[in-house]
Amino acid sequence: MPWTRTTDYPILTRRIPCAPFGNPKDRRTIWIDDYLKAPAQLGISTAAGTLPGYGALRKAIETYTPDELVELVKKANVRGRGGAGFPAGTKWSFLPKPDAQGDGGMRYLAVNADESEPASFKDRLLCDYDPHLVIEGILLACYACRVPVAYFYIRGEYHHQAKVMELAIRQAYDHGILGGNGLFNGATTKNRNQPWRVDLYLHRGAGAYICGEETGLLESIEGKRGWPRNKPPFPAIKGLFGKPTIINNVETLAHIPSVVENGPEWFAKQGCNSSFQGAPPSWGTKLMGVSGHVNRPGVYECDLGIPLRTLIESKDYCNGIRNGKKYKGAIAGGISMGVLGPDQIDAQMDFDIGRKYNVLGLGTACPTIFDEDTDMVAVARNIARFYKHESCGQCTPCREGSGWLYQLLTRIEAGQGRSKDLDLALEIATSMGTMPGTTICGLADGNNWAIQLTTPPPR
């Protein structure tokens, strides 16, 4: 059955011109004066909503109690766009219930803008050009979860993006949206006589991949070495500074304003349902940053479920593989997700991709495309080199295994491999990671899935 796009207009990128809806050369950063205007005033199609910037936030605090907003997001099945695809509303509901006074004690929101997964650059687009959309999503999450303090944790290499977000945060303070007397200079919420105040702080990382893991991120914010924590306790119970904490990705939060404005039924019209009974659907659109051997790399906003072939070959998107070469393979969503082979070009880019095509998952949905001349042994060796360098070293299987995999693949690439090296590489790869239960975090899983799917079984 041929795939058809369900939306003829952008949602996350309606202020950021992206193909096929706009010309990337027309991009500019939307500062608060423009963000507060209605879409029609900016020449934007109103199909995705008519409220001005921060209009969804005002609607939420005037219309919904925090618990009602959590249920709204749960009903929309907004799944995490950072890698795991866990439903955001369900995650929010894990926070302990507030106490009888209604303040619930101290709790935090940590926004994951680390985006250190190689070949992933979709959150960067939002930070570069529409920072107030991200801030509005953050404030909606803070209101829903009764969070008074949020930390925006941004990748250390994102120097320009950090400056953009810092200026946008300052503008939100100056306009009385953040801090001061509370949201919108003291607007009262539906179920409280007093306003809800939120403070937002930007925290820059130091360039460590491991700090993209949620508990490593929390350790880094606390000023410690970015070592992932053992779980349980989970962050929703004991997170930042020992208090209940929610961690969400930038793109996930950027979806919340449109859900509040248009409703979960509208959100469900985009994307696709799950192929597996009882599994949550893949609703909504997704930013997909495509790189590699394509004619037009870039970030595209697509319905979840778009076939990889359509993303690669359509003139609306990447316009084919460069120099007219054939497709050889792809990494579907960041190098930790594993490799799709030559016969999997029709894979649907949704959250069921892992179960359907034997990869780790959709991840960031930023595929890297390889043409027919790509040396996949060199790809596997480079992935192993990266993980060897970025391992925090806490877990012996990851610390030692990643080094051994790199040595084996380097020897194979140099033409000095032995047949037993393939057996040894697969043995090491399948013995490290959270799936066999030998490591604290999933860094080793990303390493071993890449090796398993690029190393042919010995004959």
Side-chain angles (χ1 to χ4, degrees), residues 89-378:
T90 302
K91 180 186 284 190
W92 294 357
S93 69
F94 290 159
L95 282 172
K97 291 295 182 183
D99 61 17
Q101 284 70 42
D103 59 22
M106 193 60 193
R107 48 182 65 191
Y108 297 96
L109 171 69
V111 184
N112 190 342
D114 191 65
E115 197 167 46
S116 51
E117 180 78 6
S120 298
F121 46 93
K122 44 98 179 171
D123 292 338
R124 174 179 177 173
L125 183 78
L126 296 172
C127 296
D128 263 330
Y129 298 108
D130 205 355
H132 285 282
L133 174 65
V134 178
I135 294 174
E136 184 170 12
I138 291 170
L139 296 182
L140 283 163
C142 287
Y143 174 64
C145 299
R146 301 175 177 89
V147 169
V149 176
Y151 285 89
F152 190 87
Y153 187 94
I154 192 165
R155 177 180 176 179
E157 294 87 346
Y158 279 2
H159 303 290
H160 173 72
Q161 293 71 29
K163 292 178 181 177
V164 172
M165 290 303 304
E166 282 179 335
L167 179 54
I169 291 170
R170 196 177 311 129
Q171 290 175 341
Y173 272 103
D174 291 342
H175 282 72
I177 297 167
L178 280 167
N181 295 320
L183 297 175
F184 298 107
N185 280 315
T188 56
T189 64
K190 179 182 175 183
N191 69 329
R192 294 170 66 96
N193 293 325
Q194 69 270 33
W196 188 256
R197 175 191 166 114
V198 177
D199 285 299
L200 174 60
Y201 302 101
L202 185 138
H203 186 102
R204 297 185 65 177
Y209 171 78
I210 196 62
C211 290
E213 194 276 338
E214 61 178 14
T215 58
L217 181 151
L218 298 181
E219 290 285 292
S220 180
I221 293 176
E222 291 179 1
K224 304 173 186 174
R225 187 190 297 265
W227 279 1
R229 302 173 181 174
N230 276 307
K231 293 180 283 190
F234 293 94
I237 304 300
K238 187 178 180 181
L240 191 60
F241 307 118
K243 301 296 183 181
T245 304
I246 291 295
I247 302 131
N248 281 131
N249 173 257
V250 167
E251 186 189 351
T252 309
L253 295 171
H255 268 292
I256 306 303
S258 64
V259 172
V260 171
E261 179 175 359
N262 301 293
E265 293 79 12
W266 166 86
F267 189 73
K269 292 178 181 178
Q270 309 142 37
C272 61
N273 290 313
S274 175
S275 304
F276 300 95
Q277 186 174 4
S282 297
W283 288 344
T285 60
K286 180 78 182 67
L287 296 182
M288 299 188 183
V290 189
S291 59
H293 303 148
V294 292
N295 285 315
R296 192 167 63 199
V299 179
Y300 302 95
E301 184 174 1
C302 309
D303 286 277
L304 280 164
I306 184 174
L308 182 62
R309 181 191 297 274
T310 302
L311 192 58
I312 294 172
E313 297 180 354
S314 171
K315 292 181 179 180
D316 286 343
Y317 300 111
C318 296
N319 198 28
I321 295 178
R322 67 188 186 190
N323 300 323
K325 294 184 178 180
K326 296 179 181 178
Y327 164 88
K328 185 172 188 176
I331 297 174
I335 63 171
S336 62
M337 292 298 110
V339 181
L340 294 169
D343 59 341
Q344 296 175 318
I345 190 172
D346 291 306
Q348 295 86 17
M349 297 289 287
D350 61 27
F351 290 110
D352 291 335
I353 193 171
R355 296 169 69 179
K356 287 181 181 177
Y357 300 100
N358 192 35
V359 291
L360 191 54
L362 183 64
T364 59
C366 290
T368 305
I369 312 303
F370 305 117
D371 67 21
E372 57 189 318
D373 295 333
T374 304
D375 182 349
M376 296 307 292
V377 176

Side-chain angles (χ1 to χ4, degrees), residues 15-32:
R15 298 180 187 87
I16 309 171
C18 296
F21 306 109
N23 187 345
K25 293 181 180 180
D26 296 331
R27 291 174 182 169
R28 62 185 177 88
T29 301
I30 303 298
W31 299 114
I32 196 164

